[in-house]
Amino acid sequence: MTIHAQCICALILFTCTSAPPPSLAGPPEPADFYVAPWGDDADPGSFDKPFATLTRARGAVRTLIAAGLTAPVTVLVRDGTYRITDPIILSPLDSGTAAHSITYAAYPNERPVVSGGRAISGWTAQPDGTWTVDIPEAVGGAWPFRELFVDGQRRPRARHPNSGFNRVSFAEPDQRTAIELYEGDLPLSTNLAGAELVFLHDWSISRVRIDQVDHAQNILTTAEPIGAAVFIFAITFFEEHPRYFVENDLALLDAPGEWHLDTATGRLTYRPMPGEQIASIESIAPLIDELLVVRGDFGDDVNPATEQSVTNVHFDGISFEHCEWQLPNGGFAEFQAGFYEWRDTSVPYEFPSAVTFEQVENCSFVNGRVSRVGGWGLMFGRAASQCSVIGNVFTDIAGNGALIGEDRFRNIPGGLWWVVRPDQAASGNIFENNLVEECGKVFLGCVGLWVGLANDTLIDHNLLRFLPQTGISVGNKFDETPTPCFGNSITKNHIHDVMLTLSDGGAIYTVGLQPGTVIDGNLMHSIPPNVGAASSVGVFIDEGSASIKIKQNAFHSIAKSPMKFHIAGVNTVSSNVLLLPNAGVEPFLYFNMDPANIVLSMNDISVVNSPVTCDHSVYDTHFDAGLEQRYLDTLIEPPVQDGCASCAGVPYSGLTLNACSQCNEPEQSCTVPTVSQWGMVTLAALLLIAGTRAAKTACVSANANA
């Protein structure tokens, strides 16, 4: 638990939104225990007298486990929001057995939410159009939250520029702590001391505190080094004029939706969006950095006999939202995919995940939702085996959406864990039919799904979209040294609109020796030109990647190239469909390696000068990539009502749809949807996005933008 959560004495361990019990059409769904917002932890946990908290339900289940399980145990959680100030923690004491499971599930047709946030109220309108509220618990940095959600939407901290980026004019000689600015690029009203510089490297970012801006000299100096201490992260290594923006200074608060917290005084200032009402908005800031932790006993790290896993525990249909991650002392200098230079050893090396499973076997997280979180979304990490992540939504996540396995750096007695105890690798897990979108919202180098040194992972039928960097990343050792990363299957996923901000990644990225790994039957498209130095592609086979089969995938509307190989070993590429946007695009790019390492056969390569729409044959051959129909029907929330988004035309995965009804225009004046440069457009957009045959038959093509 973070220190500031302990300071908020007005909150209890677990609070719920009060509501009367809803009426049921039929008899109660059977369960061993029930939890409800109108419950009481002093009650027995029955349907009529439910518990109020999951923590109390865990205690009741623990009593049954201690007595010896004779049947599966089910806890049903009723609709409502359950606010917590400490994470819910399950240990081997809460474990099922091989014969009997423990399940915490949403009551049928209900959607309970576990929130680590606190509602903020008491706003006062100010003459300059902002709203303010003084938060006693935030005075003196006691609760320095970095995220604010208003009516369910993430709001940006005050920043400049309000959108897009500035460019560095020149780097000072040390290439780490000072940049020269173009005149007029930053407001003259503040020297930005204590604000945050967000600096974009090629595939990663740095977030460091600003010491000051000398406007006379047009020089910004930082209190912490930009970039990790490796030469490639020097300020101008990748580009002569790299991108940056600044945030978290009151003087920058000039756009609707922006906010600023004065950590000294505890005053929160917000500039409302058009139409927001001061008396009715719901504003929430996170209190804690973890929501659910299911973790076994690691023992002594060496002897397997000392370890004890949590087994046969399942979470079904429960949403988790609102948690945070504080920037560590020394700042954030990212290596790759959210893993960063460890400058402050007083905090854990990795981001916290909102939901964590470690040292677990035969556990699952299904039909749930992880959203509005400040670190990583979900992790099945160390020694997670035979577990399933199915039918979930991961969205609005500051860092990586989901992770399976761990990186290579953890030490145990005798050396690195993957050398001494490779059996501690995550193994035999399933990540299937999940929607992963809008991740990397704060830490732009993060990815949709990251799989580290893990083996026999099935990544199947997922939809990944709207990501600043890579969609799926597999591997963590940058050479051909054997590791526990092998036998992973990346199959029938639909990945589009990725690499939207950073460069040198792809829809799918691999690194390191991976015998038995297969990339098969995926549909990848709508990847724009890289803004940084290195190309963004469909599949990127990076350093040391070897023994991988890449087959039967389809690529289209990718600006630079469908596939890129860099210092790669021997891999096979066969029976793929590569639709190139123009004759100047190479189907395969090779860097610092012998192209003969890549064994090519029976690939169908063609140039398609017009946009690829849903009547193209690629949607016949790959109609089953992406979410399967039963998950498509439940996971995709239509972004528009009555087939429209706004009269001005709001892009949605390459769509521009017209919303006459929202602008009081007659229906007949609606314009025909048009195709963006990198996307495709259909009136049945959501079905098409999932790549189903229903989309193929329902969609309507349209002309390209001029």
Side-chain angles (χ1 to χ4, degrees):
M1 181 174 68
T2 51
I3 294 175
H4 56 257
Q6 297 172 343
C7 298
I8 301 186
C9 54
L11 296 176
I12 61 173
L13 174 66
F14 198 125
T15 61
C16 317
T17 56
S18 298
S23 59
L24 297 178
E29 189 76 14
D32 297 276
F33 301 106
Y34 299 83
V35 181
W38 55 89
D40 189 327
D41 279 350
D43 283 338
S46 63
F47 179 80
D48 293 324
K49 294 186 176 181
F51 297 134
T53 70
L54 280 167
T55 301
R56 176 66 184 90
R58 180 200 62 188
V61 172
R62 194 175 277 184
T63 299
L64 295 181
I65 294 169
L69 294 178
T70 59
V73 177
T74 300
V75 176
L76 289 181
V77 187
R78 302 301 306 274
D79 205 20
T81 299
Y82 300 81
R83 299 204 185 278
I84 60 175
T85 56
D86 282 301
I88 302 164
I89 299 176
L90 276 66
S91 75
L93 296 174
D94 308 297
S95 182
T97 66
H100 303 304
S101 61
I102 307 294
T103 301
Y104 297 84
Y107 196 90
N109 301 312
E110 297 184 0
R111 176 61 75 179
V113 176
V114 175
S115 169
R118 173 193 166 177
I120 295 173
S121 59
W123 294 98
T124 299
Q126 301 297 334
D128 64 356
T130 63
W131 300 345
T132 62
V133 58
D134 292 321
I135 306 172
E137 297 87 354
V139 173
W143 182 23
F145 54 86
R146 295 173 56 89
E147 294 173 301
L148 182 69
F149 300 89
V150 177
D151 291 338
Q153 301 296 313
R154 180 186 295 269
R155 295 292 187 239
R157 296 200 297 178
R159 57 164 283 177
H160 184 87
N162 292 325
S163 62
F165 311 90
N166 287 340
R167 291 277 184 177
V168 171
S169 171
F170 186 78
E172 294 302 299
D174 74 349
Q175 284 280 330
R176 295 292 177 181
T177 60
I179 58 176
E180 187 172 324
L181 313 172
Y182 289 106
E183 188 171 355
D185 268 2
L186 293 179
L188 298 176
S189 57
T190 173
N191 70 357
L192 292 174
E196 194 164 299
L197 171 71
V198 184
F199 182 92
L200 280 64
H201 306 277
D202 217 39
W203 63 79
S204 64
I205 70 165
S206 291
R207 281 184 170 268
V208 295
R209 296 170 184 85
I210 296 171
D211 180 56
Q212 67 167 345
V213 174
D214 182 337
H215 290 291
Q217 300 295 322
N218 281 324
I219 292 177
L220 181 154
T221 57
T222 63
E224 300 139 350
I226 298 168
V230 181
F231 71 96
I232 60 173
F233 296 111
I235 290 172
T236 59
F237 180 84
F238 294 108
E239 298 179 83
E240 185 177 359
H241 305 290
R243 294 172 291 165
Y244 75 93
F245 64 93
V246 296
E247 68 176 33
N248 197 36
D249 188 290
L250 184 60
L252 308 178
L253 202 157
D254 58 358
E258 289 186 340
W259 62 277
H260 174 265
L261 174 66
D262 187 322
T263 55
T265 66
R267 171 160 287 197
L268 174 62
T269 304
Y270 175 65
R271 187 171 294 280
M273 297 288 289
E276 288 181 339
Q277 301 298 315
I278 195 168
S280 60
I281 66 162
E282 179 187 58
S283 49
I284 296 176
L287 283 167
I288 56 178
D289 55 15
E290 295 177 300
L291 301 176
L292 172 66
V293 179
V294 182
R295 180 177 290 132
D297 187 343
F298 296 147
D300 64 7
D301 281 332
V302 177
N303 183 0
T306 66
E307 299 165 354
Q308 187 178 5
S309 294
V310 176
T311 63
N312 213 356
V313 172
H314 310 276
F315 283 80
D316 186 349
I318 302 175
S319 296
F320 293 83
E321 60 185 36
H322 303 132
C323 60
E324 65 163 5
W325 185 63
Q326 288 295 322
L327 207 67
N329 292 326
F332 173 81
E334 182 181 26
F335 291 118
Q336 187 180 55
F339 292 89
Y340 64 99
E341 185 171 73
W342 199 19
R343 297 172 176 174
D344 180 3
T345 57
S346 68
V347 299
Y349 164 64
E350 295 180 341
F351 280 62
S353 295
V355 175
T356 300
F357 286 74
E358 293 181 309
Q359 195 72 48
V360 293
E361 182 178 2
N362 187 27
C363 293
S364 69
F365 187 88
V366 301
N367 304 318
R369 184 181 182 93
V370 179
S371 64
R372 302 168 188 143
V373 300
W376 290 341
L378 172 142
M379 170 184 272
F380 273 75
R382 168 181 175 170
S385 67
Q386 309 302 316
C387 296
S388 300
V389 181
I390 300 174
N392 303 285
V393 175
F394 300 95
T395 186
D396 195 0
I397 293 170
N400 293 323
L403 303 93
I404 297 175
E406 59 180 315
D407 70 9
R408 65 190 186 275
F409 292 113
R410 178 170 59 88
N411 278 288
I412 63 175
L416 292 167
W417 72 268
W418 55 272
V419 176
V420 179
R421 286 285 310 279
D423 59 310
Q424 292 181 352
S427 178
N429 300 297
I430 296 173
F431 191 87
E432 181 178 88
N433 276 298
N434 299 287
L435 171 61
V436 182
E437 63 179 3
E438 302 286 356
C439 303
K441 297 290 287 184
V442 177
F443 301 97
L444 302 170
C446 287
V447 306
L449 171 64
W450 183 89
V451 179
L453 298 186
N455 57 73
D456 298 317
T457 311
L458 176 62
I459 306 165
D460 184 65
H461 278 294
N462 300 286
L463 171 58
L464 299 98
R465 61 185 185 179
F466 313 144
L467 301 171
Q469 226 266 341
T470 288
I472 298 172
S473 176
V474 181
N476 188 246
K477 189 75 171 72
F478 286 73
D479 56 36
E480 293 192 48
T481 302
T483 71
C485 185
F486 57 82
N488 298 303
S489 297
I490 309 168
T491 56
K492 296 186 183 303
N493 301 284
H494 189 170
I495 310 169
H496 68 86
D497 292 277
V498 298
M499 305 304 305
L500 298 181
T501 305
L502 295 177
S503 306
D504 206 23
I508 297 173
Y509 171 90
T510 70
V511 64
L513 178 66
Q514 301 189 33
T517 289
V518 177
I519 301 173
D520 184 0
N522 303 281
L523 174 61
M524 293 163 272
H525 64 87
S526 304
I527 299 177
N530 49 288
V531 178
S535 54
S536 302
V537 297
V539 170
F540 182 5
I541 306 299
D542 203 1
E543 295 185 46
S545 291
S547 301
I548 299 172
K549 294 181 179 179
I550 307 161
K551 61 180 184 175
Q552 302 181 113
N553 303 284
F555 306 81
H556 77 78
S557 306
I558 299 175
K560 283 302 179 76
S561 178
M563 297 191 208
K564 178 169 73 170
F565 305 90
H566 174 238
I567 319 180
V570 176
N571 301 278
T572 62
V573 179
S574 64
S575 303
N576 298 281
V577 177
L578 293 76
L579 305 179
L580 310 180
N582 59 69
V585 172
E586 294 290 340
F588 308 107
L589 299 175
Y590 305 94
F591 296 95
N592 303 314
M593 60 171 290
D594 183 355
N597 284 354
I598 309 304
V599 182
L600 305 174
S601 67
M602 297 184 294
N603 296 291
D604 182 358
I605 304 171
S606 60
V607 174
V608 182
N609 291 312
S610 58
V612 176
T613 55
C614 58
D615 58 353
H616 195 281
S617 61
V618 73
Y619 286 100
D620 284 322
T621 59
H622 289 75
F623 71 91
D624 57 348
L627 299 173
E628 294 178 289
Q629 188 67 49
R630 65 186 183 277
Y631 293 100
L632 173 67
D633 293 340
T634 57
L635 298 187
I636 298 290
E637 296 181 3
V640 295
Q641 297 295 323
D642 302 322
C644 43
S646 81
C647 279
V650 174
Y652 182 80
S653 182
L655 290 167
T656 301
L657 298 179
N658 188 275
C660 302
S661 61
Q662 294 186 5
C663 299
N664 299 315
E665 296 177 8
E667 185 175 354
Q668 59 268 25
S669 69
C670 285
T671 58
V672 176
T674 57
V675 183
S676 76
Q677 185 176 8
W678 304 113
M680 68 185 111
V681 180
T682 82
L683 295 178
L686 295 178
L687 293 178
L688 175 60
I689 286 169
T692 64
R693 186 169 293 279
K696 172 72 171 62
T697 58
C699 69
V700 178
S701 302
N703 295 324
N705 287 330

